[in-house]
Every structure is written in C-alpha cells, then in structure tokens.
Amino acid sequence: MSEVAAVSENGIQLNEQQKRRQRARSIAIALILAAVAVLFYVITVIKLGPGAAVERPL
Amino acid sequence: MDPRPVAGQTERELFAAELGDYFALLKPRVMSLVVFTAFVGMVLAPGGLHPVLAAISLLAIAVGAGAAGALNMWFDSDIDAVMGRTRNRPIPSGRVERGEAAFIGVFLSVASVLVLYLVSNWVAAALLAFTIFFYAVIYTMWLKRWTAQNIVIGGASGALPPVIGWAAMTGSVELLPVVLFLIIFLWTPPHSWALALIRSGDYDRAGVPMMPVAAGHKSTRRQMFAYSVLLAPLPVVPTLIGSASIYYGVFAAVLGLVFLERAWRVFVVEGEDYREREAARSLFAYSILYLALVFGALLVDTLLVRLGIVG
C-alpha cells in the first residue's frame, strides 16, 4: 500500500507484495459477495416460504 | 510504513492479516457490546420474528455498528495517530487507507440499514440509520472535538442497540427498551471518564476536550459520582414495572451498590496521581462487568420466567 509501484512503458507494474495484497482483497470481496448472495437467498425463502414463488398466481 | 513484517508470510497468513485489518476497522469490541445488548433487547421483546430473520437482524445491527466504527476511524485518524491507545489502529499505522475506510463505512451503513428493513421493519431500520448518523456525524465529526459533554450526548448512539433489537422484533418502542437505553446512557459517562482519567495525557495531546482535560480531574470525579447515583437504581426498574422477577431486582440493586462504592472511591480520592488512576481503573473494570451482569441477569431472568421456573 505504502510502497511505490514501478511505472514502465507497459503501465504500472505492481511489486510482489502489492500483488499478494491485491489477491487477498479480491478473495475477500468474492467471499463477501457470495455471503451476501446466500443471505438474500435465505431471506427470500423465509419471507416467501418454500415453494411460494412457484405457487403464486400468475 | 507497514510495521508488520511481510517477508516470510505465507499467502494464507497475509490474507488473514489483511482481513484482520479490515475487521479491526469495525471496532469489534464495541460491536460485541452492541450485539449483546441488542440481543437482550430482542429476547425481552414479545415478538414473533422468524429465528433466522431475527439472527440476520442482529447481524445487520452489528454490521451497522461496525460501519459507524469505520467512519469514526476514517474521520479521527489524525487524532488516533497521536494517542497511545489508538496509534496502532489500521489507518494511523498505515495498513489501511483512509479512502478505503470511508468507502467501507458508507457501504456497510447503507447495506445494514437496507437489510434490517428487509428482514424486520422500518422502525428498526430507521433507528439503526439514526444511530449510525448520530455516532459518525453528530458525535465523531462535531461533539468529540467541540465539547466536554461529547461522550454524554454521544453516548445515546451506544445506548440505542437494545431499542433497535426490541423494535426489530415488535416494530415499536415501549417503556422497557427505553429503560435499557437509559441504563447504558447513564452508564457511559462514569465508564468513559474513568478511562479518560487514566489516559488524560493522551486526550490532552490530541486536543480532545474530554472532561478531565476541559474541566479538571476533580470536577470529572464529582460528575462521575453524580451519574453513578442516577444509574444505580435504574436497573431495578424492570422489576418495578413487572418486566422482571424480584430475584433479578435484588441482584441488580446489589450490583448498583457496588458500582456506587467504586464511584465513591474515585470521588473521594486525593490528588491526581497513581491513587486516582488505581481507583479509576477499578471503576472502569467493574463498569464493564456491571453492564454485562445487568443485561445478562435480565436475559436469564426473562428466560427463567418464560420457562415457569421463576414466578
């Protein structure tokens, strides 16, 4: 975070530590998104009741 | 800048450390108090929310409190850097950037209020939104650096979680959650000022007008005792209004007397040396135990009454 990334003609080059941090953050965001998806699925099922979406009148 | 050694850390250790820094932004200790008091508010409430939805409501309240903590750390990173107690927090130590903390705070605030609205009701969601706003804006950005009454008024945000928990279950606010609110509200000044007496040098350096810095130690000790006198009888009120058993009431009264005795020792101590710090440390430690025991006893008492074990 506080280290300076190298700038070359190919753009900004992250050093090894920055790459590892970025990877760790990406994994964290993926896990949080997955947890939110599960959370909303559970809320929906409980709020509507199992099968409610299928049984509702068209 | 990063004080933690990185060389030699495995991918997994780095991931855990990174996650730990972001989690620390949410002030987990404050969050645990919020979760506990909100949970007691939920159990005491005569509500019929589905257990899983109640658990998600509690999670939303916890995340909302954490979001307010992140916004507090974002705004206060300058004074956190000069105080011994806070200089190792993620932002002043350079492990998390201010912008990240601000984004996390705002994002989690909105998300927690929306989720609480979806799973419970608008009253609870509005109370959570107000709590976050009060802590992050009214307390952190305004009161904290402006008045010695900062933690007295700002304490309202820390006192609201049991009310939110009650509202999540019932969609309303009644007398009992207001009593729970008042218990935490009146508990906050003696608790916070005990810490401020121990750490007054920190606040002085940071320019934060905590009571010992702004009004002096003697005045602080007098006010701490006054708040303790107001606080001590309050936890007995649930018994008086028929919401708890006599056994709980007697226990709460004894806890209150011990609190008064500790506050008295701080009040009468002479000088501003190690004796004052010792008395303040004793009150500070007991105040944490006190709140846990009052709310824990209320929780156990309610469950025993519902099971018919206690009349």
Side-chain angles (χ1 to χ4, degrees), chain A residues 16-30:
Chain A
E16 208 45 46
Q17 187 190 334
Q18 287 170 323
K19 280 182 190 165
R20 291 168 77 192
R21 280 183 178 278
Q22 196 174 51
R23 184 174 145 75
R25 274 177 218 179
S26 300
I27 294 170
I29 291 169

Side-chain angles (χ1 to χ4, degrees), chain A residues 1-7 12-15 18:
Chain A
M1 172 179 321
S2 49
E3 320 77 36
V4 181
V7 181
I12 294 172
Q13 300 292 311
L14 299 182
N15 64 33
Q18 287 170 323

Side-chain angles (χ1 to χ4, degrees), chain B residues 57-139:
Chain B
S57 298
L58 192 60
L59 179 71
I61 296 168
V63 171
L71 290 171
N72 171 275
M73 285 210 201
W74 159 69
F75 192 82
D76 274 352
S77 59
D78 56 339
I79 54 177
D80 282 351
V82 294
M83 295 204 293
R85 189 174 66 88
T86 54
R87 71 164 64 110
N88 282 327
R89 283 179 173 176
I91 300 176
S93 62
R95 300 197 303 273
V96 173
E97 284 175 12
R98 286 189 80 229
E100 288 179 301
F103 173 77
I104 289 170
V106 171
F107 176 78
L108 291 182
S109 297
V110 174
S112 60
V113 171
L114 280 178
V115 168
L116 190 58
Y117 171 69
L118 281 175
V119 296
S120 61
N121 55 71
W122 71 267
V123 178
L127 280 168
L128 180 63
F130 176 75
T131 304
I132 297 169
F133 172 78
F134 201 83
Y135 184 73
V137 178
I138 305 293
Y139 169 70

